[in-house]
Short mmCIF file of all heavy atoms in Angstrom, two decimals:
data_model
loop_
_atom_site.label_atom_id
_atom_site.label_comp_id
_atom_site.label_asym_id
_atom_site.label_seq_id
_atom_site.Cartn_x
_atom_site.Cartn_y
_atom_site.Cartn_z
N VAL H 1 -50.06 -32.45 38.03
CA VAL H 1 -49.90 -33.81 38.24
C VAL H 1 -50.19 -34.17 39.76
O VAL H 1 -49.48 -33.63 40.59
CB VAL H 1 -48.43 -34.36 37.83
CG1 VAL H 1 -48.41 -35.89 38.11
CG2 VAL H 1 -48.14 -34.03 36.48
N ASP H 2 -51.21 -34.95 39.98
CA ASP H 2 -51.57 -35.38 41.36
C ASP H 2 -50.64 -36.51 41.76
O ASP H 2 -50.68 -37.60 41.28
CB ASP H 2 -52.96 -35.84 41.42
CG ASP H 2 -53.48 -36.15 42.78
OD1 ASP H 2 -52.63 -36.11 43.75
OD2 ASP H 2 -54.67 -36.44 42.98
N LEU H 3 -49.81 -36.20 42.74
CA LEU H 3 -48.78 -37.18 43.16
C LEU H 3 -49.30 -38.02 44.39
O LEU H 3 -48.52 -38.93 44.81
CB LEU H 3 -47.45 -36.37 43.69
CG LEU H 3 -46.84 -35.55 42.60
CD1 LEU H 3 -45.62 -34.75 43.27
CD2 LEU H 3 -46.37 -36.33 41.40
N SER H 4 -50.49 -37.68 44.91
CA SER H 4 -50.92 -38.36 46.08
C SER H 4 -51.05 -39.82 46.02
O SER H 4 -50.80 -40.59 46.90
CB SER H 4 -52.26 -37.80 46.62
OG SER H 4 -53.28 -37.98 45.55
N GLY H 5 -51.52 -40.40 44.86
CA GLY H 5 -51.72 -41.80 44.62
C GLY H 5 -50.58 -42.51 44.03
O GLY H 5 -50.62 -43.74 43.67
N MET H 6 -49.49 -41.87 43.88
CA MET H 6 -48.22 -42.51 43.17
C MET H 6 -47.30 -43.05 44.16
O MET H 6 -47.13 -42.62 45.19
CB MET H 6 -47.56 -41.51 42.37
CG MET H 6 -48.33 -40.96 41.12
SD MET H 6 -47.31 -39.98 40.04
CE MET H 6 -48.55 -39.30 38.86
N SER H 7 -46.77 -44.21 43.60
CA SER H 7 -45.71 -44.94 44.47
C SER H 7 -44.37 -44.89 43.68
O SER H 7 -44.29 -44.48 42.54
CB SER H 7 -46.13 -46.38 44.71
OG SER H 7 -46.28 -47.05 43.44
N ILE H 8 -43.39 -45.33 44.27
CA ILE H 8 -42.06 -45.44 43.65
C ILE H 8 -42.15 -46.39 42.34
O ILE H 8 -41.59 -46.16 41.39
CB ILE H 8 -40.93 -46.12 44.57
CG1 ILE H 8 -40.71 -45.16 45.72
CG2 ILE H 8 -39.66 -46.32 43.81
CD1 ILE H 8 -40.23 -43.75 45.40
N VAL H 9 -43.00 -47.34 42.39
CA VAL H 9 -43.18 -48.23 41.25
C VAL H 9 -43.75 -47.47 40.08
O VAL H 9 -43.33 -47.61 38.92
CB VAL H 9 -44.20 -49.39 41.60
CG1 VAL H 9 -44.50 -50.21 40.43
CG2 VAL H 9 -43.56 -50.25 42.68
N ASP H 10 -44.64 -46.48 40.35
CA ASP H 10 -45.21 -45.66 39.28
C ASP H 10 -44.11 -44.84 38.70
O ASP H 10 -44.06 -44.58 37.46
CB ASP H 10 -46.35 -44.79 39.80
CG ASP H 10 -47.58 -45.60 40.27
OD1 ASP H 10 -47.98 -46.56 39.54
OD2 ASP H 10 -48.13 -45.35 41.28
N LEU H 11 -43.29 -44.23 39.60
CA LEU H 11 -42.28 -43.33 39.16
C LEU H 11 -41.23 -43.94 38.25
O LEU H 11 -40.57 -43.30 37.37
CB LEU H 11 -41.58 -42.59 40.36
CG LEU H 11 -42.52 -41.83 41.24
CD1 LEU H 11 -41.77 -41.20 42.36
CD2 LEU H 11 -43.24 -40.81 40.50
N VAL H 12 -40.96 -45.23 38.47
CA VAL H 12 -39.91 -45.84 37.60
C VAL H 12 -40.60 -46.87 36.69
O VAL H 12 -39.92 -47.79 36.16
CB VAL H 12 -38.96 -46.62 38.64
CG1 VAL H 12 -38.20 -45.68 39.45
CG2 VAL H 12 -39.70 -47.77 39.45
N SER H 13 -41.82 -46.69 36.31
CA SER H 13 -42.55 -47.54 35.35
C SER H 13 -42.01 -47.09 33.90
O SER H 13 -41.39 -46.06 33.73
CB SER H 13 -44.04 -47.38 35.44
OG SER H 13 -44.47 -46.07 35.23
N PRO H 14 -42.31 -47.98 32.93
CA PRO H 14 -41.76 -47.75 31.59
C PRO H 14 -42.11 -46.40 31.04
O PRO H 14 -41.37 -45.74 30.23
CB PRO H 14 -42.33 -48.95 30.73
CG PRO H 14 -42.54 -50.01 31.80
CD PRO H 14 -42.95 -49.38 33.08
N VAL H 15 -43.38 -45.92 31.24
CA VAL H 15 -43.82 -44.68 30.53
C VAL H 15 -42.95 -43.46 30.97
O VAL H 15 -42.32 -42.75 30.18
CB VAL H 15 -45.28 -44.42 30.78
CG1 VAL H 15 -45.67 -43.04 30.27
CG2 VAL H 15 -46.11 -45.47 29.94
N PRO H 16 -42.91 -43.13 32.37
CA PRO H 16 -42.17 -41.94 32.73
C PRO H 16 -40.52 -42.13 32.53
O PRO H 16 -39.95 -41.20 32.12
CB PRO H 16 -42.40 -41.84 34.22
CG PRO H 16 -42.93 -43.07 34.70
CD PRO H 16 -43.57 -43.79 33.49
N VAL H 17 -40.14 -43.36 32.73
CA VAL H 17 -38.65 -43.55 32.47
C VAL H 17 -38.37 -43.46 30.99
O VAL H 17 -37.40 -42.78 30.63
CB VAL H 17 -38.29 -44.99 32.99
CG1 VAL H 17 -36.78 -45.30 32.54
CG2 VAL H 17 -38.35 -45.03 34.45
N GLY H 18 -39.24 -43.99 30.09
CA GLY H 18 -38.98 -43.85 28.70
C GLY H 18 -39.00 -42.41 28.23
O GLY H 18 -38.16 -41.97 27.39
N ILE H 19 -39.96 -41.58 28.75
CA ILE H 19 -40.05 -40.25 28.39
C ILE H 19 -38.90 -39.44 28.88
O ILE H 19 -38.20 -38.67 28.15
CB ILE H 19 -41.38 -39.67 28.88
CG1 ILE H 19 -42.55 -40.30 28.11
CG2 ILE H 19 -41.36 -38.13 28.72
CD1 ILE H 19 -43.88 -39.85 28.81
N ALA H 20 -38.51 -39.62 30.22
CA ALA H 20 -37.48 -38.85 30.79
C ALA H 20 -36.12 -39.18 30.11
O ALA H 20 -35.36 -38.25 29.83
CB ALA H 20 -37.35 -39.20 32.31
N LEU H 21 -35.79 -40.45 29.85
CA LEU H 21 -34.54 -40.75 29.22
C LEU H 21 -34.57 -40.42 27.75
O LEU H 21 -33.56 -40.10 27.19
CB LEU H 21 -34.19 -42.24 29.38
CG LEU H 21 -33.94 -42.65 30.89
CD1 LEU H 21 -33.67 -44.24 30.86
CD2 LEU H 21 -32.77 -41.95 31.36
N GLY H 22 -35.71 -40.49 27.13
CA GLY H 22 -35.78 -40.10 25.71
C GLY H 22 -35.41 -38.62 25.57
O GLY H 22 -34.74 -38.23 24.65
N LEU H 23 -35.94 -37.82 26.46
CA LEU H 23 -35.69 -36.33 26.48
C LEU H 23 -34.18 -36.09 26.89
O LEU H 23 -33.39 -35.36 26.23
CB LEU H 23 -36.59 -35.53 27.42
CG LEU H 23 -38.04 -35.47 26.95
CD1 LEU H 23 -38.87 -34.86 28.06
CD2 LEU H 23 -38.15 -34.58 25.69
N LEU H 24 -33.73 -36.67 28.08
CA LEU H 24 -32.44 -36.40 28.61
C LEU H 24 -31.24 -36.91 27.83
O LEU H 24 -30.19 -36.42 27.72
CB LEU H 24 -32.44 -36.85 30.05
CG LEU H 24 -31.13 -36.60 30.82
CD1 LEU H 24 -30.88 -35.03 30.92
CD2 LEU H 24 -31.24 -37.20 32.20
N LEU H 25 -31.48 -38.19 27.28
CA LEU H 25 -30.45 -38.90 26.50
C LEU H 25 -30.67 -38.95 25.03
O LEU H 25 -29.73 -38.71 24.24
CB LEU H 25 -30.17 -40.38 27.09
CG LEU H 25 -29.74 -40.43 28.51
CD1 LEU H 25 -29.66 -41.90 28.92
CD2 LEU H 25 -28.51 -39.72 28.80
N GLY H 26 -31.89 -39.30 24.64
CA GLY H 26 -32.22 -39.45 23.25
C GLY H 26 -32.06 -38.20 22.43
O GLY H 26 -31.51 -38.20 21.34
N LYS H 27 -32.54 -37.10 22.98
CA LYS H 27 -32.39 -35.77 22.23
C LYS H 27 -30.97 -35.44 21.87
O LYS H 27 -30.59 -35.18 20.75
CB LYS H 27 -33.12 -34.72 23.03
CG LYS H 27 -34.54 -34.46 22.74
CD LYS H 27 -34.75 -33.96 21.32
CE LYS H 27 -36.24 -33.68 21.05
NZ LYS H 27 -36.44 -33.15 19.68
N PRO H 28 -30.03 -35.37 22.93
CA PRO H 28 -28.73 -34.95 22.65
C PRO H 28 -28.01 -35.98 21.74
O PRO H 28 -27.21 -35.56 20.95
CB PRO H 28 -28.15 -34.83 24.06
CG PRO H 28 -28.96 -35.49 24.91
CD PRO H 28 -30.32 -35.39 24.35
N LEU H 29 -28.25 -37.21 22.02
CA LEU H 29 -27.59 -38.30 21.19
C LEU H 29 -28.00 -38.13 19.71
O LEU H 29 -27.09 -38.18 18.82
CB LEU H 29 -27.95 -39.65 21.66
CG LEU H 29 -27.15 -40.10 22.95
CD1 LEU H 29 -27.74 -41.49 23.44
CD2 LEU H 29 -25.72 -40.23 22.77
N GLY H 30 -29.23 -37.98 19.50
CA GLY H 30 -29.78 -37.96 18.14
C GLY H 30 -29.25 -36.64 17.43
O GLY H 30 -28.79 -36.65 16.23
N VAL H 31 -29.36 -35.51 18.13
CA VAL H 31 -28.92 -34.18 17.63
C VAL H 31 -27.41 -34.24 17.23
O VAL H 31 -27.02 -33.78 16.19
CB VAL H 31 -29.28 -33.06 18.54
CG1 VAL H 31 -28.58 -31.76 18.13
CG2 VAL H 31 -30.73 -32.84 18.65
N LEU H 32 -26.59 -34.67 18.15
CA LEU H 32 -25.19 -34.72 17.95
C LEU H 32 -24.70 -35.76 16.91
O LEU H 32 -23.89 -35.36 16.08
CB LEU H 32 -24.49 -35.09 19.20
CG LEU H 32 -24.37 -33.94 20.28
CD1 LEU H 32 -23.84 -34.46 21.60
CD2 LEU H 32 -23.55 -32.78 19.78
N LEU H 33 -25.31 -36.88 16.92
CA LEU H 33 -24.88 -37.92 15.92
C LEU H 33 -25.28 -37.55 14.58
O LEU H 33 -24.44 -37.67 13.64
CB LEU H 33 -25.53 -39.30 16.36
CG LEU H 33 -25.16 -40.45 15.40
CD1 LEU H 33 -23.66 -40.73 15.41
CD2 LEU H 33 -25.94 -41.75 15.79
N PHE H 34 -26.50 -37.14 14.29
CA PHE H 34 -26.88 -36.69 13.00
C PHE H 34 -26.10 -35.45 12.54
O PHE H 34 -25.86 -35.35 11.28
CB PHE H 34 -28.41 -36.50 12.91
CG PHE H 34 -29.20 -37.78 12.56
CD1 PHE H 34 -28.99 -38.92 13.36
CD2 PHE H 34 -30.10 -37.83 11.53
CE1 PHE H 34 -29.76 -40.05 13.08
CE2 PHE H 34 -30.79 -38.90 11.27
CZ PHE H 34 -30.58 -40.11 12.05
N SER H 35 -25.92 -34.58 13.37
CA SER H 35 -25.10 -33.33 13.04
C SER H 35 -23.76 -33.73 12.62
O SER H 35 -23.18 -33.25 11.68
CB SER H 35 -25.12 -32.33 14.26
OG SER H 35 -26.29 -31.88 14.61
N PHE H 36 -23.08 -34.57 13.41
CA PHE H 36 -21.72 -35.04 13.15
C PHE H 36 -21.60 -35.79 11.83
O PHE H 36 -20.74 -35.49 11.02
CB PHE H 36 -21.27 -36.02 14.29
CG PHE H 36 -19.82 -36.50 14.13
CD1 PHE H 36 -18.85 -35.70 14.49
CD2 PHE H 36 -19.61 -37.76 13.66
CE1 PHE H 36 -17.52 -36.21 14.37
CE2 PHE H 36 -18.29 -38.22 13.45
CZ PHE H 36 -17.17 -37.39 13.84
N ILE H 37 -22.57 -36.63 11.54
CA ILE H 37 -22.58 -37.39 10.25
C ILE H 37 -22.85 -36.37 9.12
O ILE H 37 -22.06 -36.45 8.02
CB ILE H 37 -23.75 -38.35 10.23
CG1 ILE H 37 -23.50 -39.53 11.23
CG2 ILE H 37 -23.89 -38.98 8.80
CD1 ILE H 37 -24.51 -40.52 11.39
N ALA H 38 -23.77 -35.36 9.23
CA ALA H 38 -23.91 -34.41 8.19
C ALA H 38 -22.62 -33.55 7.92
O ALA H 38 -22.32 -33.27 6.77
CB ALA H 38 -25.07 -33.51 8.63
N VAL H 39 -21.93 -33.18 8.95
CA VAL H 39 -20.75 -32.41 8.81
C VAL H 39 -19.64 -33.29 8.17
O VAL H 39 -18.90 -32.76 7.26
CB VAL H 39 -20.31 -31.80 10.08
CG1 VAL H 39 -18.83 -31.21 10.07
CG2 VAL H 39 -21.31 -30.78 10.64
#
């Protein structure tokens, strides 16, 4: 990833934020909730 042309605005734009939070929060929430319901 070429960081030279990126600004703070790019880093907090919807695409990277949606992906990062999807992985960091969405994954564990989904895994735990569906596992809990199944049990």
Side-chain angles (χ1 to χ4, degrees):
V1 181
D2 185 357
L3 303 175
S4 61
M6 291 190 187
S7 64
I8 296 297
V9 175
D10 294 317
L11 301 182
V12 297
S13 62
V15 170
V17 171
I19 292 172
L21 292 182
L23 291 170
L24 184 59
L25 298 180
K27 270 290 183 180
L29 284 175
V31 168
L32 284 172
L33 181 60
F34 271 55
S35 296
F36 182 79
I37 292 173
V39 170

